[in-house]
Amino acid sequence: MDALKQEYARMLQGLRIDKFNLDEDKYSGVFLPEPFDEYLTAKTKVMLVGRETAGWNTDNNKNTIKRAAGLGGVSVSEVVNESFRRYRKHFKLKGDKIVDTSRSRFMEYYFRLAKELALDPRALIYANLFAWDYAKKSPRRRPADEFNEIASISQQLLAAQIRRFKPDFIVFASGIRGADGVIRSLFNEHLGGYQTAKDKLVPGKLWEFEAAGATCYRIAHPRAEYGHAEFRDQVIERIQASVASRHLHKGRH
């Protein structure tokens, strides 16, 4: 994964730090996933994309956007290594089972996806639309210059992950409000666009589309109630049906 580390580092070095108010630098550590061997060998590759972290990757309490850009007394390469270590810790093994260190609804859905698709939890990729949170909340609340730079680098990072990890299915469980524009921009600007079939959209609930060689779904955040649960179920059922269809097609050849 040296090439992945180098690509991440190059993008972080491209942060335009002059866009930030460094006197109010409460950004989390940068969120950078690294696939486990279980993902690399999985027959079905699934990526689950959240919105942003809520501080869980700030273990050393030293993180700032300035530090992520390599200007905080530590190299960008070490910042990438720190993020990898934190990501792997989130899926730490105890014996042969993963210790679920999170009580979030998002991670509950992550483990449910793995279970119902008969995949090891480490055979999925957990990614985020935004690679940072601000004071454990959305970076959207920051001034426009700051947020636009966070959104730009985050899209570059996520696009690199999609290109390198080549998922068969991407589930954007990143909320309804405000997420669609970011997702459209991600694919249009970095990954060659997307295609939506007319019968694959349930406004405000579920959006299914094809992009970057993957079947993609956008649903509400897993903590959302009020009729969203059935669409979380539908995504799992659609992936199961698609996988079964692929296996049947291969069997005929």
Side-chain angles (χ1 to χ4, degrees):
M1 283 294 150
D2 284 346
L4 176 64
K5 290 182 181 181
Q6 290 169 10
E7 187 166 17
Y8 280 158
R10 178 178 56 77
M11 290 177 179
L12 293 178
Q13 286 166 339
L15 269 165
R16 295 182 294 174
I17 207 69
D18 59 308
K19 299 294 183 183
F20 296 87
N21 179 352
L22 299 180
D23 293 328
E24 297 179 4
D25 191 347
K26 298 179 183 177
Y27 283 94
S28 68
V30 60
F31 178 90
L32 302 171
E34 177 190 30
F36 289 92
D37 289 343
E38 288 87 344
Y39 178 85
L40 299 176
T41 58
K43 291 182 179 178
T44 302
K45 292 180 165 55
V46 179
M47 175 183 279
L48 179 63
V49 184
R51 192 164 46 205
E52 73 273 329
T53 63
W56 66 255
N57 63 331
T58 57
D59 272 4
N60 60 18
N61 295 314
K62 297 177 182 177
N63 296 292
T64 58
I65 199 71
K66 182 178 177 181
R67 191 171 184 272
L71 304 174
V74 65
S75 70
V76 174
S77 294
E78 181 52 31
V79 169
V80 174
N81 287 334
E82 287 173 355
S83 190
F84 280 5
R85 287 195 292 270
R86 185 62 186 90
Y87 182 83
R88 298 183 80 80
K89 183 179 177 183
H90 203 55
F91 300 95
K92 187 169 61 176
L93 288 172
K94 187 172 184 180
D96 61 349
K97 292 189 176 180
I98 289 176
V99 180
D100 183 2
T101 59
S102 173
R103 296 179 181 176
S104 76
R105 292 288 181 86
F106 181 88
M107 292 311 296
E108 284 180 7
Y109 190 64
Y110 178 100
F111 283 101
R112 185 183 162 206
L113 261 179
K115 182 178 180 181
E116 298 207 24
L117 298 176
L119 294 169
D120 185 297
R122 291 172 26 139
L124 277 66
I125 285 283
Y126 165 25
N128 274 313
L129 277 185
F130 302 119
W132 290 266
D133 66 67
Y134 186 87
K136 300 188 179 183
K137 295 180 180 178
S138 172
R140 285 183 179 278
R141 305 180 184 195
R142 299 303 296 157
D145 276 0
E146 279 195 24
F147 174 68
N148 289 340
E149 185 64 7
I150 288 291
S152 174
I153 298 295
S154 294
Q155 284 194 14
Q156 292 176 46
L157 290 166
L158 183 53
Q161 291 155 21
I162 292 170
R163 281 194 300 266
R164 285 190 176 275
F165 305 159
K166 295 180 171 57
D168 301 304
F169 301 96
I170 307 174
V171 182
F172 290 91
S174 38
I176 303 296
R177 188 175 300 171
D180 287 6
V182 178
I183 293 169
R184 290 190 187 100
S185 176
L186 167 71
F187 288 106
N188 283 335
E189 294 185 21
H190 301 283
L191 293 162
Y194 63 91
Q195 290 187 319
T196 304
K198 289 182 179 179
D199 61 342
K200 299 295 186 180
L201 179 64
V202 182
K205 301 290 186 180
L206 172 63
W207 172 27
E208 179 181 334
F209 58 99
E210 300 293 323
T215 301
C216 306
Y217 308 90
R218 191 273 295 127
I219 53 174
H221 191 280
R223 66 172 169 261
E225 301 297 336
Y226 306 110
H228 288 289
E230 67 178 279
F231 295 98
R232 291 193 285 273
D233 295 344
Q234 272 195 38
V235 165
I236 294 173
E237 290 164 4
R238 291 187 189 192
I239 294 175
Q240 288 173 329
S242 181
V243 171
S245 176
R246 289 182 185 189
H247 288 166
L248 182 63
H249 182 72
K250 284 182 180 179
R252 288 174 176 168
H253 292 78

